[in-house]
Amino acid sequence: MSFSICILGSGAALPTGQRAPTAQYVECNNRHILIDCGEGTQLQLRKFGIKLQRISHILISHLHGDHFFGLPGLISSMHLLGRNRGLTIYGPTELQSLLLSFIEVGGHKLCFDIKFVVTESKSLETIFEDRLIEIQSFPLKHRIHTWGYRIAEKAKPFHLNAAAIAEFGLSLEDLPKLKSGINLEKNGKILQFEKFTFPPSPSLNYVYCSDTKPWTGYEKAIEHADLMYHEATFTDQHSDRAKQTYHSTAKQAATMAQKMKVKNLMIGHFSSRYDGSDQHLIEAKSIFERTICAEDGLWIDLEKMTHF
Ligand SMILES: [Zn+2]
């Protein structure tokens, strides 16, 4: 089991030498997910040692260029490298026709299938789940339709109490039931699974809030997040600009984190007008101490972050 996040791009609309436009890679229990895909994302994937063919799900928050201009190039490279497994892309309704136009004008017939899933949830809704993970989407408040995403581990198996199992002489075939929290029946007697197990490790979640102004509509989605990424394009000095453009300041991101009892906050999408993110961090920490800044190439091990 593992849950890690790599920041591929932490900048806003204009790429700089230090910050690529928005993109993040999430590896959750061997599921490989890309969130947003700004220009140059495939180069960032290479730079930070991530195999692009591993990516099976791409989540696009909205159709401002700094969040999806990297997609045609990435898909083209996947094709040139002979990809032979499908890819699922989640995003706004116009995304499918945009991408298909790019592919068609190049005269390519892709060597793999793309499944498009339109994101249109009006509240926190599940868009994908399997045995180990669940992905949900929820609406944000930006100038155009924009969605955030929540990636969560499913409930984990109970840990076995080897000593208790040995004492009762339980057999191997009893163990899967115990791990799933199911009582056993032996010689007409019910054996409670709690006697033979310890509680499971906590299931973690990561919440991604792309471009948005602060809004009550996504509070439920971020509540108690183990780690929330929240855009903080501006510092307090430019709060008027944030309001006009439906973005957030670092203080507003931190206020949302504090209000909804988020455990850790990561801010990013810093405007290129600033030399660095020091001021953003100072302002956010004045409200919510457990804040870090997204930086290109930053790897986060979510399990370590939530246990220090
Ligand atoms: Zn935007």
Side-chain angles (χ1 to χ4, degrees):
M1 297 290 198
S2 60
F3 201 154
S4 57
I5 297 132
C6 179
I7 303 303
L8 302 167
S10 57
L14 288 175
T16 67
Q18 287 73 45
R19 295 188 192 278
T22 302
Q24 300 185 5
Y25 167 79
V26 178
E27 191 273 306
C28 181
N29 295 336
N30 213 25
R31 276 54 172 164
H32 304 270
I33 301 156
L34 182 68
I35 314 182
D36 279 338
C37 187
E39 185 183 343
T41 294
Q42 61 169 318
L43 294 172
Q44 299 292 85
L45 287 165
R46 281 186 192 279
K47 192 170 164 186
F48 304 128
I50 299 161
K51 291 189 173 73
L52 57 90
Q53 296 290 38
R54 278 188 168 180
I55 294 165
S56 55
H57 297 77
I58 299 179
L59 318 175
I60 299 296
S61 65
H62 67 303
L63 295 182
H64 281 155
D66 55 325
H67 292 258
F68 84 102
F69 279 175
L71 259 186
L74 177 65
I75 290 169
S76 173
S77 294
M78 285 174 164
H79 168 75
L80 292 172
L81 291 166
R83 184 180 178 100
N84 54 17
R85 54 193 287 244
L87 178 69
T88 306
I89 301 177
Y90 305 78
T93 185
E94 303 88 347
L95 184 61
Q96 178 170 2
S97 56
L98 273 171
L99 281 179
L100 291 178
S101 299
F102 267 105
I103 294 161
E104 274 166 28
V105 294
H108 289 304
K109 166 97 181 69
L110 289 184
C111 58
F112 61 97
D113 291 329
I114 300 180
K115 180 183 169 194
F116 288 94
V117 179
V118 175
T119 310
E120 51 191 356
S121 46
K122 293 187 171 51
S123 58
L124 186 63
E125 286 175 19
T126 299
I127 55 171
F128 172 82
E129 66 180 321
D130 65 10
R131 193 169 53 86
L132 296 176
I133 74 162
E134 179 178 26
I135 303 175
Q136 294 170 298
S137 66
F138 54 92
L140 297 170
K141 201 74 168 173
H142 194 39
R143 299 193 302 281
I144 57 173
H145 289 308
T146 302
W147 284 271
Y149 294 99
R150 181 178 182 276
I151 300 170
E153 293 181 308
K154 288 274 188 78
K156 293 179 181 174
F158 285 81
H159 295 291
L160 296 174
N161 180 341
I165 288 167
E167 195 185 318
F168 270 76
L170 298 181
S171 62
L172 269 181
E173 63 200 29
D174 295 325
L175 305 187
K177 277 191 176 176
L178 293 175
K179 280 186 178 179
S180 304
I182 298 170
N183 295 332
L184 302 178
E185 199 181 332
K186 296 274 176 197
N187 305 322
K189 277 188 183 169
I190 300 290
L191 301 180
Q192 304 287 340
F193 74 89
E194 290 97 335
K195 264 190 183 171
F196 307 99
T197 57
F198 299 112
S201 307
S203 300
L204 302 175
N205 64 72
Y206 174 58
V207 177
Y208 174 86
C209 294
S210 181
D211 296 8
T212 190
K213 69 176 198 177
W215 183 47
T216 53
Y218 60 93
E219 285 180 351
K220 186 171 177 277
I222 66 173
E223 191 173 18
H224 302 302
D226 290 300
L227 173 62
M228 171 174 74
Y229 165 83
H230 196 292
E231 74 117 302
T233 310
F234 297 104
T235 61
D236 211 28
Q237 187 193 349
H238 299 108
S239 56
D240 285 349
R241 185 87 187 119
K243 200 172 175 185
Q244 282 161 16
T245 56
Y246 283 63
H247 279 294
S248 298
T249 65
K251 274 190 178 176
Q252 288 170 331
T255 302
M256 289 300 289
Q258 187 194 42
K259 184 179 178 190
M260 298 319 295
K261 298 185 171 54
V262 161
K263 292 176 193 146
N264 299 276
L265 169 66
M266 173 164 56
I267 51 174
H269 199 264
F270 306 119
S271 164
S272 59
R273 77 185 63 211
Y274 306 107
D275 285 339
S277 55
D278 293 353
Q279 187 59 27
H280 293 78
L281 191 60
I282 289 167
E283 291 180 8
K285 280 191 165 220
S286 72
I287 291 166
F288 189 81
E289 173 59 29
R290 290 176 74 97
T291 304
I292 58 170
C293 282
E295 305 289 342
D296 292 19
L298 173 70
W299 277 97
I300 294 164
D301 181 332
L302 196 51
E303 203 154 290
K304 281 191 186 144
M305 175 178 248
T306 48
H307 288 95
F308 68 80

